[in-house]
């Protein structure tokens, strides 16, 4: 397989960029998560304040973005594995990318109520 086969074309370039960006976003989330969890040993009162901010509608939107990043990164990672290890993978990479996007959209629609339901009720009432 020639170098660069995996990311030929506009779709391939954007999937490469999105995979890297989502990976970095997930890393920073994990870094912040470790820090805020460590806060419980330093100052339980401050930890409680931080956890209280997580129940705001804005943070719910950020959580939805986190779900989007994790789902895309995972699904696209499976596609990259298929392209690398399946002999016909490079031939079907564009179709696999659009399959990943379709599955991602369906899962994101399914995640909307569980992740954003509380925030919507808080903003718009029950």
């Amino acid at each position: 397989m020639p170098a660069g086969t995996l990311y030929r074309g506009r779709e391939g370039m954007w999937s490469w960029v999105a995979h890297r960006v989502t990976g970095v976003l997930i890393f920073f989330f994990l870094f912040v998560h470790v820090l805020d969890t460590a806060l419980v040993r330093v100052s339980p009162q401050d930890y409680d304040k931080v956890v209280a901010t997580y129940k705001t509608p804005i943070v719910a939107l950020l959580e939805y973005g986190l779900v989007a990043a994790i789902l895309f990164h995972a699904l696209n990672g499976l596609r990259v594995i298929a392209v690398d290890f399946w002999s016909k993978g490079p031939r079907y990479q564009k179709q696999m990318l659009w399959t990943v996007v379709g599955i991602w959209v369906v899962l994101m629609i399914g995640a909307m109520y569980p992740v954003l339901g509380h925030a919507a009720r808080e903003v718009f009432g029950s």
Side-chain angles (χ1 to χ4, degrees), residues 56-70:
T56 63
I58 291 173
V59 175
L61 285 173
L62 293 173
E63 284 179 341
Y64 191 67
L66 177 64
V67 170
I70 290 170

Side-chain angles (χ1 to χ4, degrees), residues 6-69:
L6 179 60
Y7 298 112
R8 277 204 183 133
R10 187 177 315 139
E11 296 91 356
M13 179 190 68
W14 285 112
S15 72
W16 184 88
V17 169
H19 197 73
R20 294 330 183 259
V21 168
T22 56
V24 169
L25 291 173
I26 294 165
F27 170 80
F28 281 119
F29 162 76
L30 290 173
F31 181 73
V32 169
H33 179 63
V34 167
L35 287 178
D36 73 5
T37 303
L39 190 59
V40 75
R41 293 174 76 49
V42 177
S43 174
Q45 298 85 3
D46 288 336
Y47 173 79
D48 290 339
K49 289 177 189 173
V50 169
V51 170
T53 65
Y54 292 163
K55 296 174 182 166
T56 63
I58 291 173
V59 175
L61 285 173
L62 293 173
E63 284 179 341
Y64 191 67
L66 177 64
V67 170

